[in-house]
DNA sequence: GACATCATCGGTCGAAGGTCGTATGCACGG
DNA sequence: CCGTGCATACGACCTTCGACCGATGATGTC
């Protein structure tokens, strides 16, 4: 279940927002000013933040800036709420780095649609991040090893298979060469890469093969 | 230099936008309708897209949906441009997953501020992504191996060191045990993990130790 | 043609890795 | 009290690895 943090100084407004979100199946947390909001965010790790602009203690802009400086909230959607709805006000909020801007009084459908849209967007990024963040070396690019460590094409081919846990005999069979040749190539690899074991070489190779992903 | 794609059917508007952005030091590409815009996006790989809503061929919503379905543009900021600036129109655009919404006629300062804000936000995410995307297994978490492969605590400790390229003798010294014991634990690890070489086990272990990063 | 580089193949030898069986001490639960 | 699981340890045996020695041929380049 997604958790939403509501930072809003008016008690009735806070309750209404929380209620609307809870009826939609969201988990909610609330804070009545900026300072409390930042604390609540840190302890509750919400998936989305709804924040009023004008508040005592710390205003919405300050809250946004504080959260964006925190690694943990870099990807957390942040939606401003405010009664002031003139163009310059909206622009100020968005230019601060907010993800959306809702005008009070908040219409139920607008709120839910905005929340869902922002959560969907964040989730999409999160998913792509998870896919690429783990362990996925590109074993189809021996050329990466070649350029990274000054290996010859054949040497790097041998190495990509070794990095996949193959034995010398396996590699020999796969590449259609003698195991002696595999040994020779590997020996050269060790020298060029400055390592002394097949395991260390494997580790370095995996690191090289993993370092080239794009968002 | 950041590249910005402008999708807008009115020629003068298109020129004005491009000029404003070029004066600010941006690289620009333009397209006069949705279909052409999607093509241009794919070939130019812009860092941000400015897109009119009402266009012949394919409207802005369709362009946004098409780009969001493409892996390459998951993180690319998308800003709608439109003359229709009533509340429901803005909400529709944002709920489609746009990152911002500018009303025509576009004020220079608004445009540049919005572009900079969105680029900064995207860059922040990109940076965090790059940091975590490479090769960085967490060697301080033997418990991950334990639960993932049904290993005992001691076995997983041995394995994390093996995964770091240590020899049996090294591991024995590090963990204060006999090399015979290391061999025994490793043998059990191989069985439980369904591999037959220290190298393959290392590979599986690295995969397990790399899979738990958060955005 | 001389020379360098790359890829291929061969041998020997010692060190490291891996499998087998066996055994002890310890802790936990029935 | 006894069985089970865990960690520890030893010895014997075989396989694999990696280093050091060598050699051939196919490329290019100057």
């Amino acid at each position: 279940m997604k958790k939403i943090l509501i930072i809003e100084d008016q008690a009735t407004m806070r309750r209404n927002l929380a209620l609307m979100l809870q009826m939609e199946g969201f988990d909610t947390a609330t804070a009545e000013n900026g300072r409390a909001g930042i604390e609540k965010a840190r302890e509750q790790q919400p998936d989305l933040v709804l924040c009023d602009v004008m508040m005592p203690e710390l205003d919405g802009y300050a809250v946004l800036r504080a959260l964006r400086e925190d690694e943990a909230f870099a990807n957390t959607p942040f939606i401003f709420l405010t009664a002031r709805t003139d163009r310059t006000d909206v622009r100020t909020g968005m230019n601060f780095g907010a993800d959306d801007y809702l005008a009070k009084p908040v219409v139920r459908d607008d709120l839910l649609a905005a929340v869902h849209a922002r959560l969907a967007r964040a989730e999409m990024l999160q998913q792509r991040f998870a896919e690429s963040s783990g362990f996925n070396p590109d074993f189809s690019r021996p050329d990466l090893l070649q350029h990274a460590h000054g290996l010859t094409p054949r040497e790097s081919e041998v190495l990509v298979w070794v990095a996949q846990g193959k034995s010398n005999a396996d590699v020999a069979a796969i590449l259609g060469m003698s195991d002696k040749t595999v040994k020779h190539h590997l020996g050269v690899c060790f020298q060029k890469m400055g390592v002394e074991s097949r395991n260390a070489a494997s580790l370095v190779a995996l690191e090289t093969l993993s370092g080239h992903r794009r968002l």
Side-chain angles (χ1 to χ4, degrees), chain A:
Chain A
M1 187 180 4
K2 294 294 180 182
K3 181 179 291 181
I4 298 179
L5 173 59
I6 303 165
I7 309 177
E8 160 68 59
D9 65 330
Q10 295 169 41
T12 53
M13 173 75 71
R14 208 161 59 227
R15 260 206 316 278
N16 281 344
L17 290 168
L19 222 67
M20 283 193 271
L21 292 168
Q22 280 163 13
M23 282 198 298
E24 190 73 3
F26 290 109
D27 198 357
T28 58
T30 57
E32 71 284 2
N33 64 53
R35 194 174 306 283
I38 293 174
E39 275 176 37
K40 265 274 168 56
R42 286 198 220 282
E43 76 187 33
Q44 301 269 336
Q45 295 286 322
D47 299 289
L48 184 146
V49 177
L50 279 174
C51 184
D52 194 6
V53 174
M54 284 180 298
M55 285 181 302
E57 291 282 339
L58 229 61
D59 68 11
Y61 300 134
V63 173
L64 175 54
R65 189 187 299 128
L67 290 185
R68 284 290 188 250
E69 278 170 7
D70 189 332
E71 290 257 325
F73 299 101
N75 190 36
T76 308
F78 191 102
I79 302 180
F80 269 134
L81 294 174
T82 191
R84 297 171 52 194
T85 182
D86 52 82
R87 206 193 87 262
T88 61
D89 193 48
V90 174
R91 297 300 339 141
T92 307
M94 292 304 284
N95 293 344
F96 249 78
D99 295 288
D100 203 343
Y101 204 102
L102 291 174
K104 292 189 203 175
V106 178
V107 180
R108 191 192 123 95
D109 288 351
D110 284 356
L111 172 70
L112 296 180
V115 167
H116 278 125
R118 258 45 250 183
L119 283 176
R121 187 108 171 73
E123 219 161 336
M124 186 159 112
L125 286 172
Q126 175 70 50
Q127 191 185 333
R128 284 183 47 68
F129 178 82
E131 276 171 17
S132 312
S133 83
F135 180 79
N136 56 349
D138 189 348
F139 292 122
S140 63
R141 301 280 312 277
D143 57 299
L144 292 177
L145 291 173
Q146 205 172 319
H147 296 124
H149 304 104
L151 304 181
T152 68
R154 205 55 168 163
E155 283 160 2
S156 36
E157 277 187 68
V158 171
L159 191 52
V160 292
W161 286 109
V162 170
Q164 284 168 94
K166 303 298 181 188
S167 73
N168 287 353
D170 290 339
V171 178
I174 293 171
L175 296 180
M177 58 173 74
S178 160
D179 59 334
K180 321 288 176 130
T181 312
V182 175
K183 281 190 184 183
H184 175 266
H185 285 317
L186 265 184
V188 179
C189 287
F190 296 161
Q191 260 182 267
K192 290 184 179 175
M193 301 168 75
V195 299
E196 56 291 317
S197 79
R198 121 198 252 88
N199 242 306
S202 184
L203 215 55
V204 175
L206 288 174
E207 191 165 355
T208 304
L209 295 174
S210 297
H212 293 266
R213 311 247 148 243
R214 305 186 53 76
L215 186 59

